[in-house]
């Protein structure tokens, strides 16, 4: 009975995290990525985290508005959501990478059940998105 209780407790405390990455086939061809700022995303540090992820992979970035993408060959659009449990934390993010209006990459991070009772749900945006930029 204790063993069963321990297993149930462990299952409740570990949230299932889904990460789905369809990487870019030719990363070396990426010089600069224009990140389209999404005003509907309420996560303050997401732009900084996205820029750092690309920079660690040798890709320069530029923040642009949707109207400012005309001079950009490669564009990143994104959406992210947050949830509140004692404090706000990111529960999901989707990233789409486009070249000449054709999708060339995709990545998704998602906490199932908003992280449940797992303490890992309160990890930083950086810690969660670093999985995508590895």
């Amino acid at each position: 009975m204790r063993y069963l209780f321990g297993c149930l407790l462990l299952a409740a405390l570990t949230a299932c995290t889904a990460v789905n990455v369809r990487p870019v086939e030719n990363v070396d061809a990426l010089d600069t990525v224009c990140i389209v700022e999404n005003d509907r995303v309420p996560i303050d540090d997401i732009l900084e985290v996205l820029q750092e992820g690309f920079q660690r992979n040798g890709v320069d970035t530029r923040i642009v508005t949707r109207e400012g993408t005309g001079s950009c060959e490669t564009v990143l659009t994104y959406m992210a959501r947050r949830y509140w449990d004692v404090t706000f934390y990111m529960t999901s993010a989707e990233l789409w990478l486009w070249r000449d209006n054709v999708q060339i990459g995709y990545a998704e991070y998602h906490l199932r059940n908003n992280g449940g009772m797992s303490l890992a749900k309160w990890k930083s945006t950086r810690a969660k998105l670093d999985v995508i930029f590895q």
Side-chain angles (χ1 to χ4, degrees):
M1 188 63 137
R2 274 191 221 163
Y3 177 74
L4 178 61
F5 179 74
C7 288
L8 290 174
L9 180 62
L10 182 61
L13 291 176
T14 56
C16 294
T17 302
V19 177
N20 177 18
V21 177
R22 283 183 263 150
V24 178
E25 287 186 21
N26 189 4
V27 176
D28 295 334
L30 295 178
D31 288 331
T32 301
V33 171
C34 293
I35 302 173
V36 179
E37 186 172 10
N38 187 342
D39 293 335
R40 298 175 68 189
V41 172
I43 300 167
D44 295 334
D45 62 343
I46 194 161
L47 283 173
E48 178 183 327
V49 170
L50 292 172
Q51 286 184 295
E52 289 173 1
F54 279 107
Q55 288 168 352
R56 279 194 314 274
N57 287 284
V59 179
D60 291 328
T61 58
R62 212 170 72 214
I63 305 299
V64 297
T65 63
R66 184 162 301 282
E67 296 79 26
T69 61
S71 64
C72 302
E73 182 180 343
T74 307
V75 174
L76 179 82
T77 56
Y78 64 93
M79 178 49 118
R81 291 178 177 77
R82 68 180 182 174
Y83 189 75
W84 187 88
D85 184 359
V86 179
T87 188
F88 284 108
Y89 59 94
M90 188 182 79
T91 58
S92 65
E94 286 185 81
L95 313 175
W96 296 270
L97 192 62
W98 308 87
R99 172 171 283 141
D100 299 323
N101 295 319
V102 175
Q103 185 177 336
I104 61 169
Y106 173 80
E108 173 185 16
Y109 173 91
H110 180 74
L111 283 176
R112 293 190 178 116
N113 297 320
N114 294 320
M117 295 180 63
S118 172
L119 299 178
K121 68 185 174 186
W122 289 299
K123 284 184 177 180
S124 69
T125 304
R126 179 173 284 103
K128 292 173 181 176
L129 292 183
D130 274 353
V131 174
I132 291 171
F133 285 103
Q134 290 181 356

